Amino acid sequence: QREWIEAIISGVENNQIPLNKEILALVTCIISIESGFHADPLAIDPSRGEDMSMILERAERDIAQKLGTLMSVPPIPHFYNIYKEKYYPLIMSCRTEGDVESVAKKVVEDLKKDMAFLPDFMKSILDKELNKVRNVIRTKGSMQLNFPRAIQIMRERGEAFTEDELRDYMYTLNGGVDVGIAAIRPMFVQYAARYGTPGNRSWLFFVGMDYHYGPFSSRNMMEQIRIRDFSGRDIPIDGDFLHYDDSGLPANKESETLKAVTSFFPKTDRSEIFQNFLLEKHPHYIYTNTHQRIMSYHQAKFGPTPFAIIGDLWMGESAQIKHGATWKTQAYLKKLDKLLNSVPWDQANQF
């Protein structure tokens, strides 16, 4: 227990957040939900009544659906059976997510060698999948942070980790907490500035929700409601103004939110709106011209709105593999609410 306390305090200080009971309690709640205080979390949650074979079956179905007829083109079936025979027992014996990562690393190393014997069109297809295999555990460490997001956050903090170094760091007690707190920091600071009055800690729920959904999702969902109100378009309220690829980069596909705003403000250059939307995962979005226009128009027509809202979202593809196709984030929100409300705030030490 003492090691975890020291890791949390160290992580808060390392990310230049003043020590206070709000940040300490929130981080503790998130670690409890995400990993149950395991630096290298269990690969399977026993409370869900599943085992590794069920996850592998879902992953196999996903591969078959993605690659389709390619799975029957020689020599793919031959290689697939060899890999399954070699690695299936190793994966079945994995106890932690770090164990799974180790096996995935070996699979990728073998695939890179064997791809030399494949036709060029197969190489190009499989090459795109190698990074997904290497990062089959998309969320890592005690705070289960999305790995592409962790890479970006550490770069923004000026750290010079390679991907392998960062992966290893996140599976240490101090590293997993440090990187997780770095992801919390922008939301914590902005929501504290907006809502942080004495005795009011409801804003911590927004921070915890955004840590789980994605940076500033609760703020952005409120923005999408404003856009939906004045545009009349039935846009998704999902916290994302743009579409993103698996690496967290904007995808080459125009989102409904972008279409709605560009059509409603035709005199505003589309490139300006797009550039402003690129800041949707950052604190600075609220200072953009696009946000100011949206706020000004909506308030004039509909009146004041809250800064952020609580929503319920479906998880993406990687979460479906791990948790099943019907898994939603509502369970996370209920746990967060329960834990935050169980904190003895009045008895906590003052910093």
Side-chain angles (χ1 to χ4, degrees):
Q1 184 179 14
R2 188 66 201 173
E3 288 180 339
W4 283 102
I5 293 172
E6 291 174 355
I8 293 170
I9 292 174
S10 175
V12 170
E13 292 177 335
N14 199 35
N15 284 285
Q16 299 181 346
I17 302 174
L19 277 178
N20 58 79
K21 55 191 173 185
E22 285 78 12
I23 188 63
L24 297 176
L26 178 62
V27 171
T28 302
C29 290
I30 291 175
I31 295 172
S32 176
I33 295 171
E34 296 288 2
S35 70
F37 292 94
H38 289 88
D40 184 2
L42 298 175
I44 301 295
D45 180 359
S47 68
R48 297 183 60 84
E50 291 190 329
D51 58 29
M52 185 63 77
S53 64
M54 298 173 73
I55 291 180
L56 287 174
E57 287 171 9
R58 280 201 292 270
E60 284 193 274
R61 288 196 298 269
D62 182 65
I63 291 172
Q65 184 179 5
K66 273 188 175 181
L67 299 183
T69 56
L70 184 64
M71 291 294 292
S72 60
V73 177
I76 295 295
H78 173 68
F79 279 119
Y80 187 81
N81 289 331
I82 289 176
Y83 274 72
K84 186 170 182 179
E85 182 178 346
K86 179 178 180 180
Y87 286 109
Y88 193 92
L90 294 178
I91 297 174
M92 286 294 294
S93 66
C94 289
R95 180 177 173 273
T96 68
E97 293 184 351
D99 295 339
V100 175
E101 293 257 28
S102 296
V103 176
K105 183 178 181 180
K106 295 175 184 177
V107 171
V108 169
E109 289 171 352
D110 281 354
L111 278 171
K112 287 180 177 178
K113 297 174 185 175
D114 291 334
M115 279 171 58
F117 301 100
L118 299 177
D120 288 342
F121 80 95
M122 289 187 183
K123 289 179 185 177
S124 63
I125 294 172
L126 292 179
D127 189 55
K128 295 177 182 177
E129 300 298 317
L130 284 182
N131 188 56
K132 294 181 183 178
V133 175
R134 183 64 186 94
N135 290 297
V136 64
I137 305 295
R138 295 279 292 176
T139 56
K140 307 182 193 300
S142 61
M143 295 185 69
Q144 290 289 277
L145 184 63
N146 176 277
F147 193 54
R149 187 176 165 202
I151 294 171
Q152 180 183 2
I153 287 166
M154 288 294 100
R155 285 175 180 167
E156 290 174 354
R157 204 174 78 175
E159 305 284 356
F161 287 105
T162 65
E163 289 194 13
D164 283 342
E165 288 171 344
L166 180 57
R167 189 179 290 109
D168 292 341
Y169 182 60
M170 291 179 72
Y171 282 117
T172 65
L173 192 153
N174 279 25
V177 174
D178 176 36
V179 180
I181 294 174
I184 287 174
R185 186 181 187 278
M187 286 90 70
F188 185 87
V189 171
Q190 187 159 98
Y191 291 134
R194 293 278 168 166
Y195 291 106
T197 57
N200 175 20
R201 298 186 181 90
S202 60
W203 57 275
L204 291 173
F205 196 80
F206 288 127
V207 183
M209 172 183 149
D210 287 6
Y211 179 83
H212 189 63
Y213 279 175
F216 297 102
S217 291
S218 55
R219 181 197 69 188
N220 294 348
M221 282 193 278
M222 186 64 246
E223 188 82 321
Q224 287 175 312
I225 289 174
R226 297 185 190 104
I227 295 166
R228 184 183 64 184
D229 286 348
F230 63 63
S231 70
R233 292 191 178 216
D234 187 22
I235 64 173
I237 309 301
D238 57 9
D240 283 332
F241 301 156
L242 304 173
H243 291 301
Y244 295 88
D245 61 22
D246 291 332
S247 300
L249 299 174
N252 188 25
K253 179 183 177 184
E254 193 170 44
S255 69
E256 292 301 315
T257 302
L258 181 60
K259 290 178 185 176
V261 175
T262 53
S263 65
F264 195 81
F265 296 113
K267 294 182 179 180
T268 303
D269 192 89
R270 179 192 176 281
S271 63
E272 179 188 348
I273 297 172
F274 181 79
Q275 290 297 321
N276 289 172
F277 276 2
L278 287 175
L279 295 173
E280 65 167 309
K281 308 294 183 185
H282 297 269
H284 314 298
Y285 170 72
I286 62 173
Y287 305 110
T288 63
N289 290 333
T290 298
H291 173 68
Q292 296 300 323
R293 290 191 190 102
I294 291 170
M295 280 288 292
S296 177
Y297 186 88
H298 190 275
Q299 182 160 335
K301 188 171 183 179
F302 298 96
T305 53
F307 184 71
I309 60 163
I310 299 298
D312 184 27
L313 298 175
W314 291 90
M315 293 304 286
E317 170 192 324
S318 60
Q320 290 173 13
I321 294 296
K322 185 173 180 180
H323 302 287
T326 60
W327 193 76
K328 293 180 77 174
T329 59
Q330 190 61 237
Y332 177 91
L333 298 181
K334 289 179 179 178
K335 289 179 182 177
L336 179 63
D337 182 59
K338 180 180 178 180
L339 288 176
L340 285 175
N341 281 298
S342 68
V343 174
W345 296 105
D346 294 337
Q347 301 174 28
N349 292 330
Q350 301 291 323
F351 287 92

